[in-house]
Amino acid sequence: MGPFLSLVTVLAIAPHISIASHVSHLTHLHRQIARASTLPAGWTAQGCVTDNPGARTLSGDTFTDTAAMTVESCVNFCNNKGFIFAGRLNLFWSGQQPPPPPQTVPSVGLWKSLGCYNDTAAARTLSVPVGVTGNFSVESCTDTCFNAGYPLSGMEFADECYCDTEFRNFGAPATLADCNMPCKDNGTEFCGGPNRLNVYNFTGTLPHGPVTPPPPGGGNTGTPVFPASNLPSPWKYAACYVDNAHGRIFQTELPDNQNVTVESCIASCAAQNNTLIGLEFSVQCFCGNTLVNGATLGAEADCNMGCGGNATEACGGPNRLSVYSAQPNATVPSLPVPIPKNTSLPSGWNYAGCIQEGEGGARVFSHEIINEANTTVDACLSRCQLYGFPAAGLEFGNQCFCGDFADVTATSQGPAPEDTDCSVPCSGDLIHLCGGPDRLSYYTFNNTIDVWHTPANIGRYEFLIGGVVVPLVATVGINGKVNFLEKLGTGFPNSTGAYELDLSLVDDFSKAWRELHVHSDVFCSGSLILPDKAARVLNVGGWSLDSTFGVRLYAPDGSAGVNGTNDWEENFNELALQRGRWYPSALVMTNGSVLVVGGEQGSNGAPEPTLEILPTPAGGQTFLFMDWLNRTDPNNLYPFLHNLPSGNIFVGYYNEARILNPKTFDTITVLPNMPGSVTTETAGRTYPMEGTAVLLPQHAPYTDPLGILPTLLGRLSVCPRNGSCLAWLVTLPDGTFLIVNGAEQGVAGFGLADFPNLSALLYDPSQPVHQRISILNNTIVARLYHSEATLLPDGRVLISGSDPQTLFPNGTVKFPEEFRIEVYVPPYLNQGFTQPSYTITETDWAYGQTYAITVKLHQGTTANMRVSLVAATSSTHGNIMGGRTIFPAFKCTGNNCLITAPPNVNVSPPGWHQLFILDGPTPSHSQFVRIGGDPGALGNWPDFPDFQVPGV
């Protein structure tokens, strides 16, 4: 989800955990923050707070609801658990002051801390287990040992107390950080850890010599105890087992219960479909279906403690479990002592030992996957490899981490002192180890996962011109000029909402820009280019109220150096959408009409889970409800729409995808979910995670399957910090894609993007998988939310915009609104070659027909020439609506060539394209051609006197 507070995951902080955070009150958000209406008494909003998955700002507990998360449900969850802070995208506070964080108490009266010591159940460092009366804390444990006459006192596993007169069994100091479990009843103190003791030494005079202390749980009162026999069928007593000889032999422990009985433990565990129970220390109930960690039988006489709720029933003893079974013949399945998995690993992976986390709790790897019940080594390694990570670590039995070798070098404190520090079995594979407390079972990949090409020719960024606005929508018109749309009323003062840039006049700022006008706020609208004769730009939807119903049209006119006279046409009373939409997508379908899909009913409004057609058919309302849009709001805005060679329509939304019938819009096929990020399958691709999706090139004779490339949340090099990339893919005339802009962390809107991506990458689908990316040049300009990238007719890429509203903790702007406009010069224009050129007379093409061009090449011959058709598009929020690249068939005699147009509307839906020729790697300047005409007669629409129509 990204290293900021997730849209759907609550992070909470307990009263005993301190928080040091910087709260910034955002004054200008791209998506308005809805305020909670009813909160528990005392709770107030504290603003937006940064977060990191490797070191959570709120670390107490989590609550997830992907469908119905509200501020109220988040805060109520935390309030009911006694937490004082709660966070979604904003932090809420109960008004109570948090106490200090846990610490190793240096002294309690005359008891002085000796630090942290190792311990095992088989060979106790302090050999006398004692029961503590009342709340468990350092004070209560040391008091118990004092009263029993022992000078050494130790706390372990948060709620176990041990006494002795000396250290035994070679007990020795351990790293203090290993004693990391807060005391059960005092969260400000540490009470040991797994197989670790916080040890204290009494420096005064004891009241008497050692006497037999009360055992844990009340102990044996002298009354004989027996295994319970009158139990619900098929439960029976099995045997007395040793606990902690090699680790806990049950995986699930229920809360201590002073009134526990064998019957109540059975009822609790059976309700969770467990077939084994174990009782220990009179008050502890454990559940499972198999024993783990090499469980061994103990002497029956050692299970001599009566149950807290029935003193005649055997409920184990110190490190002894009375085990009862519901399996046939009271069978007790038992698994061996788990070992590191170092054989039969996924190909290329090797076990590299047990390593330590970083100092002060710093994570070695930041990409964390938690699977409480099913973590395995193989699944973890395969997941990391899928997303291009060559290093992996497993911790605490249920945590999988992915990263790089450099992470280990930079952060880990090195190998664990003992390899046995990785002692926790994998939650999904109990015979193998998955790390331990602050210890990682470390694995490395010894083959190459991804090849990142570093060519000598990497292209370059160039400053083009200063801007007049921060554009939200960028469109190259058939007049060769670039049309920009920006917010009207919610943007810059006195803005008209629309401007056009004449690329031939960029050396003269006063002449380069022409002011245009829209009549409502196009903030977060959708745009595309119509197939009519004028190649009009259509814009739909908008910010709020009437603007969400907006249908706007602009016919590009004028020419290089000559201003046009047309302007945007809009009249809400005459021409409007049936449903108001904010963040909609649009697509020219194969029949020539326009499909408009999804969005919300205005800024942060209710979902608009419908689709409709333009021109609006006669006969009343014709919009259709789509349950899959309704279910995935608000993570499905700007859905991806593409016409397929089958004639059907692909739609991608959130992390899902499906194929629709273009006539009924029924679902033909539900596709497998698009892979999410390395940390979660539920990571989305559409806004607000904001990836993009492009069609891979089609080549005559168009028999190969059509590929769709959605940008990846996670490791696409642009996104090493595991956030939403916000990256833009721009179709280039040679069939490659330029990847620019975006962030290495965060999501769209709310000022939640950080670490701007300043690098350009090149994606080449002709190369083998995992070898398709080349690292190109860098810029100094941060291009985050609301930036755009658009292919120009000369083969360069225009790069504009950015207004992320990301703030420093003190509220000042971290990344300012960006007016500068750049171009990227791809490698094919950065090698000193002269661009080829061509002449053409026929620019209105019918399917399957041939059309003549005369070419002029400078490096090669027509034998190595290529021809490409790049669909005319409009770009907003990284979504290139209508994008498509076609390499048509052609043949040449000398410099005279005949190009065969695509065969049908399924291969190439009706519309305008930039026609390029390529002299080896070098593209020409393009000219616009129309393929397929205007079958939907959009050129005659709309039929109102204040709209000019170009005709079909």
Side-chain angles (χ1 to χ4, degrees), residues 469 484-488 494-499 516-518 522:
V469 295
F484 294 108
L485 294 176
E486 73 113 357
K487 292 174 267 190
L488 179 70
N494 304 316
S495 171
T496 61
Y499 299 84
L516 300 174
H517 308 80
V518 291
V522 301

Side-chain angles (χ1 to χ4, degrees), residues 317-499:
N319 296 309
R320 296 296 186 272
L321 281 156
S322 296
V323 176
Y324 296 80
S325 172
Q327 301 193 28
N329 301 317
T331 302
V332 181
S334 181
L335 296 176
V337 176
I339 60 174
K341 192 172 194 302
N342 52 21
T343 60
S344 301
L345 297 170
S347 179
W349 287 94
N350 297 292
Y351 177 61
C354 181
I355 65 171
Q356 303 179 73
E357 288 276 23
E359 292 185 4
R363 290 290 198 195
V364 169
F365 302 121
S366 61
H367 309 282
E368 179 181 2
I369 309 158
I370 297 179
N371 191 333
E372 295 289 350
N374 295 305
T375 293
T376 66
V377 171
D378 286 9
C380 177
L381 304 187
S382 297
R383 180 78 175 182
C384 294
Q385 182 178 349
L386 176 66
Y387 285 86
F389 292 99
L394 298 105
E395 187 169 352
F396 276 117
N398 60 8
Q399 296 174 339
C400 166
F401 294 88
C402 303
D404 294 289
F405 306 134
D407 298 329
V408 178
T409 303
T411 307
S412 174
Q413 298 179 76
E418 300 177 25
D419 203 55
T420 53
D421 284 0
C422 287
S423 58
V424 180
C426 305
S427 63
D429 177 14
L430 299 176
I431 66 172
H432 290 114
L433 295 170
C434 284
D438 294 321
R439 299 292 188 268
L440 290 160
S441 296
Y442 177 41
Y443 292 84
T444 60
F445 191 75
N446 61 7
N447 294 330
T448 299
I449 296 180
D450 290 306
V451 175
W452 307 94
H453 300 291
T454 54
N457 180 5
I458 57 176
R460 65 188 188 276
Y461 281 90
E462 289 182 347
F463 174 76
L464 183 68
I465 191 173
V468 292
V469 295
V470 177
L472 307 185
V473 185
T475 309
V476 176
I478 62 169
N479 60 358
K481 303 180 182 184
V482 185
N483 188 284
F484 294 108
L485 294 176
E486 73 113 357
K487 292 174 267 190
L488 179 70
T490 56
F492 301 105
N494 304 316
S495 171
T496 61
Y499 299 84

Side-chain angles (χ1 to χ4, degrees), residues 188-237:
T188 68
E189 302 174 340
F190 283 124
C191 280
N195 297 316
R196 293 295 187 270
L197 286 158
N198 272 114
V199 178
Y200 290 81
N201 178 43
F202 188 71
T203 58
T205 302
L206 292 166
H208 49 73
V211 298
T212 302
N220 189 353
T221 62
T223 303
V225 298
F226 303 94
S229 57
N230 188 21
L231 300 174
S233 179
W235 288 89
K236 295 181 180 179
Y237 176 70

Side-chain angles (χ1 to χ4, degrees), residues 736-762:
T736 63
F737 297 87
L738 186 70
I739 305 172
V740 293
N741 300 3
E744 297 178 4
Q745 175 176 288
V747 296
F750 294 111
L752 293 181
D754 205 347
F755 299 98
N757 166 53
L758 303 176
S759 302
L761 303 175
L762 191 71

Side-chain angles (χ1 to χ4, degrees), residues 17 44 88 112 293 299 307 358 361 428 555 589 599 607 641 660 691 822 843 863:
I17 304 295
T44 56
R88 263 178 89 221
K112 306 298 182 183
N293 282 319
C307 298
M589 298 193 298
L641 301 175
L660 304 180
E822 297 173 284
T843 58

